[in-house]
Amino acid sequence: MSDYIIGLTGGVASGKSEVTRRFEARGVTVADADIAAREAVAPGSEGLAEVAAAFGPAVLDAAGALDRAAMRRRVFTDDAERRKLEAIVHPRVRTALRAACEAAPGPYAIAAIPLLAEGGGRRTYPWLQRLLVVDVPVEVQHARLLRRDGIDDALATRMIEAQASRHERLALADDAVFNDGPLEMLDAHVAALDRRYRVFAIVHA
C-alpha cells in the first residue's frame, strides 16, 4: 500500500509519457488520469449514464457508447457545457487515481494528471504529497507537436495556449524535470527523483 503519492504534470508534448515510462521501469505504479477519464464514461458506467442524462442522446453513438467527437464539439465551443461535463468526470477521475495509487505496491506511487494546473492544483488534489512538473520551452513544445501530430503552426499554438502557462505549472512544482535535452538525460533525472521519493516515503511513513 502506498500512502505517499506524487502528482506528475506537464504541458502538451512536454514528454510526460517518457518520464512515466522510466518510473514504471523502476517498479513504480503510475495511475493515468487520461485512462481514468475514459473509464469514468465507459459503456455501462454510472458516469456515462449521468452524461447521457445531462447532455441527451445526441452524445451517444449507435452502440450506446460516448460519441467523443460529438462531445468535443459540444464542450469546446461552450464553457458552460465543458464545466458541466467536468463536474461529472473529474470527481470520478480523482477518486479512481487516489484508489489506484493507495492500492499500489511499493513505497510511493505517481498520479499522472496532464491538466493538474488547469483543474485546481493542490486544492482539488490535497492528497498529493509532492508535485513533479515536466517542463520544456514553448518553442520545443511547438516543434514536437508539428512533428508528432502533423498539424499546422496555428493549431499547435492554440493547443499550447489553451493550457496553463509554464509559469503557472512551475509555480506548483516541488520538483521539475527540464526535458529539452536528449532522452538519455531523463534516465539520470528519474533515477535521482526515484531515490529521493523512496527516502521521502520512508520518512513520511
Side-chain angles (χ1 to χ4, degrees), residues 32-43:
D32 189 315
D34 287 340
I35 294 173
R38 288 194 291 272
E39 292 175 348
V41 291

Side-chain angles (χ1 to χ4, degrees), residues 98-193:
R98 185 173 187 177
C101 287
E102 290 181 345
Y108 75 95
I110 290 175
I113 311 166
L115 299 179
L116 178 63
E118 295 84 348
R122 294 180 187 275
R123 178 177 52 81
T124 49
Y125 290 90
W127 41 269
L128 296 175
Q129 273 70 49
R130 291 183 76 82
L131 297 182
L132 169 61
V133 172
V134 182
D135 179 66
V136 293
V138 171
E139 57 269 23
V140 173
Q141 284 181 280
H142 194 279
R144 287 179 180 173
L145 277 172
L146 297 181
R147 185 169 61 250
R148 186 190 76 183
D149 295 356
I151 58 178
D152 61 26
D153 286 338
L155 179 54
T157 298
R158 287 199 301 273
M159 290 173 67
I160 294 167
E161 290 179 348
Q163 296 189 334
S165 68
R166 289 181 74 191
H167 174 77
E168 289 167 328
R169 281 190 297 270
L170 289 170
L172 298 173
D174 298 296
D175 306 293
V177 171
F178 298 101
N179 187 28
D180 55 351
L183 286 177
E184 303 78 59
M185 292 180 62
L186 284 181
D187 295 326
H189 288 317
V190 170
L193 287 167

